[in-house]
Amino acid sequence: MRGDGVEEVLGRLPHTWTAGEAEQVKQRFRESRPAVPKHLVSRVWQYWLQQCPDEPLFGDTEDDLALVLHARAMGLRVPGGEIGADDGAVARCVRRARESADCGPLFPAPPPWGPKAALAPQVRAALASSLLRAWVAGDEQGPVEVLVVGQGISEIRQQVVQAALTTCLRVNGLSDPESGDFVGDHLGVGLIRVTAGLSGTQPSLDLPSVFRARSVTVADGSSSTARGALRDFVGLLRSLAHETSLVEVADIAYGELVAYAQGMRTLADRAAAETDRALLRSPREADGPGATDLVSLQPYLRTTRGHGATVGLEFSPDLFTTDAYLGVEQAHQRVLSQRLTMDARLRLDQLEAEIKQLTADLEAFDGATPEERRALWPATVLLVERFDEPTGRTIRLTEPEERETEQYYQVNVPQLITMREKWARRMGELVEQLETAVHRPNAPARQVAAGRFLDAALRDVAPDESAATERAFLAWRKDVAPLLWFEWRCALRAQGVAPSDVFTPHTVLISRYLPPAGEDPALLFVHPYTLVDTARSAVLADAGRAVVVVRDATDHAEPAPSDAAGPTAQTLWDELARLADKPHAEEEFGRRFIEALRAQPYGVARRMVQALQPAEPGSAEADEIETALRAAERHTSISEGMDRALLAMRTEAFLTARECLDDTRGEPRWQARAWLLRAIVECRAARLEAREIPGLLGHQMPGLPDTALRALDEAGTADAEFTLAWLEALPEAGLDKGIRRLFQGLPRARASCKGDPLNKVSAEREYAVWLFRRAVENARLARQLDEAGEELAEHQEAVDAALAKLGRALEEILVGPYVGGSRGAAEELFEVLSGQEPPRYGRVAGR
């Protein structure tokens, strides 16, 4: 134990120190490196600036430089060090901190990663890979550990990272506090490791997405154990592998993983014992039929005695108490836990209030006598809202639904109470587990965040998160990374380890950070780990190098030369074309095609696209396509215009509904139906109740808007027989059935496209052009909605603000001229955002 004398000196202002006391404090600084606490750095830094800024403080340039780096990393004010009037020792040391190679990045530049690397058989596990590869280690009870390697493309990476964060919170929300304080999961850039090793017996449930999440939802099939949580994560990976081929999943036995790790330790121990020999474990194929090559994350084991079993350093946890890091953590947690917890709490309160109200109503009805029921309750009940089970939200109905009071209290109310109680239990468990993962003394959420950002800072990469998080991280990394790089170099130099043997393209830094709890101080340990592929990696254990060295193809990756030797892309493509004409050559063609892609990925891919893509049409053909499109628009005008007008009317976009109907052109018998729908639109625009419209229109009673009467006149002129029959039946049928009848028999797109003999346009060509135009417009609308969604803020956003940002995209999808399959999803999104159901009248099959 260190004596209290130095602590007593540190409690006084530096200008009161004697020369002997200053030497004691400086010696404490030397002994504490690299885990120098902030209060010690602050006092020594003050002493240097106040007492001797023109002279080296330690007389040792390494310690002087270390003090400057520690001061900057701890958030203390450090001079700029510009050359000028102030050219003392402090200023010179500050300049050296900017210029010294010892303070520069430890890792080599990231290997170039293009299609050649993605298709290369020489490497499977690469941090920079554009493909994600996952190894699932399991036993007879299910998955135990999942290792995901690669950065992947942005869309896939977002899904995998958010699912991994979700799984990590679930597992650590279930963990037994007595089983250990350190969190074993790692969510870094290019590498994710999630384990169920901290599992407990408490029930668990699915957490929602932590990126771009707008509400808390819980799946019906939620798992109840940490193994189940990990199984859900594996299920997502398998789904992405099946749907995209941008993710690969391999299953390995957990026992084999443990045995391999033990074999690595045995190899390191042998090298330490046999100092005159170097032991090499070369890449090997899987042993036996059905065996799988392992890829695992292994620590850098020492091959010498006296420094511990693995390479590692202790740093001061005060690095995570600076204002710069707190900004990073707050931005990260704002996206991760705070928003989710608050939303869950609010919805739990709402559900409990609704349960209380429904239960009180049911008890009052059950306790009443038949006479009291007749006197106090009406004969029927109007239902004005429904409980949406998939999202757990209450949606207000546009048209009330009538129920007999007896049936309502015997059937509906008990069901509503049961559904809300189930959701209240889920929300309660959700809030509890979120708060457990965030506020438990060992703070699992903070541990995972600290490990993520410290690893990224050391590797000189930036996590793919929100813009606010990235800005805060880059500012923090600028001050902290030089210290981390410098201290690692100094430590490895003292231990006789070459930095290039430890910091490679397949190395990550795993942190063990424990926040302070009560009287227990905070701790921070950092250990380098390496990816080891039994079929691709060579492992060298040599006492002369002091550490196990792992090498694979990523250590030697270089940009592909533009004038690569070998066959050209055209030659390879011609060979593939000849092979494709041969019978029964499918298997050989697949193998040769992959080989051609590996050799000339850009050229072969370009020729493949050219072969699959039709040639640009000439001017004459372009005119024919335009003629076919105009014919298709003319023939589908009535059906498309009425579809859009009906949907616009449901969302009370009456101007849009009028425009849709004004643009319709077709045969008089179909045009009459468009005019009748126009009459209904005018009635709804005049704020007439839906139940009143059938009688007013059918009997043409006073109170109808003039525009509706004109629409009836136009309909009668176009098709008097149908108009008269429709108006006579309308009061009895009601508005919903009346609208449905307008659409009955209406030619849809396929039947409407009859071609144009005068312009030599066949019906098939007209329909094909129409389908192609719809496909292009649907893709544009989907992209437009995605871009609008990116404008939403990171925090929980008000519904009106969200609708304002999404409104234009939603409007085009709902009532645009080329609506398609995304319309149903857009309607559901509108319901959830607004909490209100659009009118249901006029809904028919397929619409």
Side-chain angles (χ1 to χ4, degrees):
M1 295 233 359
R2 292 170 176 169
D4 295 331
V6 175
E7 292 299 327
E8 181 181 347
V9 173
L10 291 174
R12 305 200 321 261
L13 294 176
H15 71 271
T16 66
W17 297 351
T18 65
E21 291 172 338
E23 286 301 321
Q24 290 180 348
V25 172
K26 289 191 289 183
Q27 183 61 29
R28 173 67 63 85
F29 178 87
R30 289 192 185 96
E31 295 172 353
S32 300
R33 284 183 51 203
V36 188
K38 184 175 182 179
H39 75 279
L40 178 55
V41 174
S42 176
R43 286 306 197 204
V44 178
W45 181 244
Q46 288 177 6
Y47 181 82
W48 193 9
L49 292 179
Q50 294 173 5
Q51 302 302 114
C52 51
D54 297 329
E55 301 175 2
L57 179 64
F58 290 91
D60 184 322
T61 55
E62 179 180 295
D63 287 325
D64 288 335
L65 181 56
L67 178 56
V68 170
L69 296 174
H70 278 274
R72 178 176 292 161
M74 295 298 180
L76 303 179
R77 189 183 65 83
V78 176
E82 289 78 9
I83 298 177
D86 182 14
D87 197 27
V90 172
R92 291 194 301 272
C93 200
V94 170
R95 287 198 296 273
R96 183 185 168 208
R98 290 202 303 260
E99 301 166 358
S100 173
D102 285 343
C103 305
L106 275 168
F107 285 80
W113 206 265
K116 274 183 174 288
L119 295 166
Q122 293 86 357
V123 60
R124 293 186 303 169
L127 301 177
S129 175
S130 55
L131 301 178
L132 289 179
R133 292 182 168 91
W135 284 267
V136 180
D139 56 19
E140 64 278 0
Q141 297 179 6
V144 179
E145 178 181 312
V146 178
L147 181 69
V148 183
V149 183
Q151 293 189 25
I153 63 174
S154 177
E155 292 79 5
I156 302 297
R157 178 170 62 248
Q158 276 191 347
Q159 295 185 60
V160 174
V161 170
Q162 73 180 24
L165 286 168
T166 296
T167 306
C168 176
L169 284 183
R170 291 177 63 185
V171 171
N172 287 283
L174 289 167
S175 64
D176 181 5
E178 302 299 327
S179 65
D181 292 326
F182 288 113
V183 172
D185 299 330
H186 179 76
L187 284 79
V189 179
L191 186 135
I192 294 171
R193 177 181 178 270
V194 184
T195 176
L198 301 177
S199 61
T201 58
Q202 304 97 319
S204 175
L205 62 155
D206 285 343
L207 301 186
S209 165
V210 296
F211 288 137
R212 298 183 178 179
R214 297 291 167 235
S215 62
V216 177
T217 58
V218 180
D220 289 333
S222 60
S223 303
S224 59
T225 64
R227 290 287 185 97
L230 205 59
R231 191 177 294 111
D232 292 341
F233 180 43
V234 174
L236 170 71
L237 295 173
R238 295 191 194 281
S239 175
L240 290 173
H242 176 72
E243 295 171 0
T244 68
S245 297
L246 297 173
V247 178
E248 294 180 4
V249 181
D251 294 292
I252 57 179
Y254 184 67
E256 294 182 11
L257 189 64
V258 173
Y260 185 78
Q262 293 173 343
M264 287 279 290
R265 288 189 176 275
T266 302
L267 188 69
D269 291 341
R270 283 187 57 194
E274 303 173 17
T275 57
D276 57 336
R277 301 178 59 187
L279 308 175
L280 176 66
R281 178 172 290 178
S282 60
R284 60 179 176 80
E285 295 297 330
D287 296 330
T292 305
D293 293 320
L294 294 175
V295 171
S296 64
L297 193 63
Q298 297 292 334
Y300 277 95
L301 300 170
R302 296 187 186 276
T303 55
T304 56
R305 310 291 189 189
H307 292 286
T310 62
V311 176
L313 283 184
E314 181 182 359
F315 285 92
S316 171
D318 292 339
L319 293 173
F320 296 139
T321 63
T322 63
D323 292 340
Y325 180 76
L326 292 178
V328 179
E329 187 178 65
Q330 288 171 4
H332 174 74
Q333 298 295 357
R334 190 163 53 241
V335 176
L336 174 62
S337 58
Q338 294 175 3
R339 181 177 61 197
L340 299 178
T341 306
M342 181 57 68
D343 192 44
R345 285 176 182 166
L346 293 175
R347 292 181 56 195
L348 177 60
D349 292 343
Q350 179 187 357
L351 289 168
E352 289 177 344
E354 291 176 357
I355 292 170
K356 184 177 180 180
Q357 182 64 46
L358 289 170
T359 303
D361 291 345
L362 181 59
E363 291 176 352
F365 185 83
D366 289 340
T369 63
E371 293 77 13
E372 291 174 332
R373 291 179 181 179
R374 285 191 295 271
L376 300 176
W377 280 272
T380 60
V381 174
L382 289 178
L383 303 182
V384 296
E385 63 184 23
R386 65 179 172 87
F387 187 75
D388 189 57
E389 179 66 15
T391 62
R393 292 188 178 275
T394 300
I395 305 295
R396 184 169 296 278
L397 302 176
T398 301
E399 297 293 331
E401 298 179 10
E402 195 172 20
R403 293 282 189 278
E404 293 184 1
T405 302
E406 193 80 20
Q407 180 191 22
Y408 173 72
Y409 280 101
Q410 289 181 355
V411 179
N412 292 68
V413 174
Q415 289 179 349
L416 291 173
I417 292 175
T418 300
M419 286 191 295
R420 282 167 170 80
E421 285 178 341
K422 180 173 65 174
W423 267 91
R425 287 193 297 271
R426 291 178 178 179
M427 289 297 103
E429 293 173 350
L430 179 59
V431 171
E432 180 182 353
Q433 292 192 4
L434 279 172
E435 291 183 341
T436 298
V438 175
H439 300 300
R440 177 175 284 178
N442 66 330
R446 292 193 64 195
Q447 290 192 46
V448 173
R452 177 175 176 82
F453 294 121
L454 196 63
D455 171 52
L458 273 160
R459 291 168 52 203
D460 202 24
V461 295
D464 182 15
E465 293 196 23
S466 66
T469 305
E470 183 176 356
R471 285 193 300 269
F473 169 76
L474 293 176
W476 176 73
R477 185 183 68 181
K478 179 182 177 183
D479 293 335
V480 171
L483 164 69
L484 301 175
W485 297 330
F486 176 77
E487 291 292 9
W488 267 107
R489 281 192 173 92
C490 293
L492 293 180
R493 188 185 302 125
Q495 298 169 21
V497 179
S500 59
D501 285 347
V502 175
F503 298 105
T504 70
H506 42 85
T507 298
V508 296
L509 280 299
I510 305 297
S511 300
R512 295 294 184 263
Y513 167 59
L514 193 64
E519 297 181 356
D520 296 331
L523 298 172
L524 174 60
F525 301 93
V526 182
H527 294 267
Y529 277 64
T530 181
L531 286 169
V532 183
D533 185 342
T534 58
R536 303 289 190 274
S537 301
V539 181
L540 174 66
D542 182 3
R545 304 183 81 146
V547 68
V548 168
V549 179
V550 179
R551 290 286 183 261
D552 67 16
T554 60
D555 292 287
H556 309 284
E558 297 178 355
S562 57
D563 55 345
T568 64
Q570 187 60 49
T571 302
L572 294 170
W573 184 256
D574 292 340
E575 292 177 356
L576 287 173
R578 287 192 293 271
L579 183 60
D581 293 333
K582 295 181 180 180
H584 312 296
E586 292 83 359
E587 184 175 346
E588 183 182 0
F589 180 86
R591 179 179 58 79
R592 296 277 294 276
F593 181 70
I594 294 297
E595 291 175 354
L597 276 177
R598 287 171 176 161
Q600 296 286 349
Y602 293 107
V604 172
R606 184 167 58 251
R607 285 160 178 78
M608 178 178 62
V609 171
Q610 291 172 350
L612 296 176
Q613 181 178 345
E616 289 289 335
S619 57
E621 187 178 3
D623 292 340
E624 292 178 8
I625 293 174
E626 184 66 22
T627 301
L629 180 60
R630 298 287 79 81
E633 290 177 345
R634 183 174 65 254
H635 289 147
T636 59
S637 173
I638 292 289
S639 59
E640 289 296 301
M642 289 181 63
D643 262 346
R644 292 161 48 209
L646 177 60
L647 192 54
M649 182 180 67
R650 288 183 186 142
T651 54
E652 298 189 353
F654 300 117
L655 288 176
T656 302
R658 291 187 184 108
E659 292 175 2
C660 294
L661 294 171
D662 286 342
D663 293 338
T664 59
R665 297 291 182 271
E667 299 178 21
R669 60 183 180 134
W670 304 124
Q671 195 73 44
R673 303 193 183 197
W675 280 112
L676 292 173
L677 183 59
R678 175 63 176 269
I680 296 175
V681 170
E682 297 297 343
C683 291
R684 290 295 292 132
R687 299 301 176 184
L688 295 178
E689 293 292 336
R691 60 177 178 273
E692 298 175 357
I693 294 175
L696 291 172
L697 279 179
H699 302 297
Q700 300 184 37
M701 298 171 62
L704 278 177
D706 292 339
T707 49
L709 291 172
R710 177 180 174 276
L712 292 179
D713 291 341
E714 294 286 353
T717 302
D719 190 340
E721 182 180 352
F722 178 84
T723 300
L724 182 60
W726 184 80
L727 289 173
E728 288 179 351
L730 183 60
E732 183 67 24
L735 185 62
D736 185 56
K737 291 184 179 179
I739 293 177
R740 292 187 184 191
R741 189 179 176 191
L742 292 179
F743 284 87
Q744 286 175 359
L746 193 68
R748 310 311 295 170
R750 187 66 183 92
S752 297
C753 293
K754 301 176 181 179
D756 189 347
L758 293 178
N759 293 295
K760 299 180 181 180
V761 176
S762 66
E764 290 75 15
R765 185 182 183 88
E766 178 184 333
Y767 184 60
V769 169
W770 181 82
L771 283 179
F772 177 76
R773 181 60 180 270
R774 266 179 90 114
V776 171
E777 287 300 313
N778 283 336
R780 181 185 66 81
L781 292 171
R783 184 172 62 252
Q784 183 175 332
L785 182 61
D786 185 57
E787 292 172 353
E790 292 178 356
E791 297 180 7
L792 296 177
E794 297 172 3
H795 53 78
Q796 189 72 27
E797 192 151 15
V799 168
D800 54 354
L803 283 173
K805 293 178 179 179
L806 297 175
R808 186 173 184 84
L810 285 173
E811 181 182 357
E812 277 213 64
I813 292 174
L814 290 170
V815 296
Y818 294 95
V819 294
S822 59
R823 180 171 59 183
E827 286 184 278
E828 293 177 6
L829 176 60
F830 181 84
E831 286 185 23
V832 172
L833 282 173
S834 63
Q836 184 170 338
E837 180 186 66
R840 296 284 174 178
Y841 45 72
R843 292 187 181 273
V844 294
R847 188 168 289 106

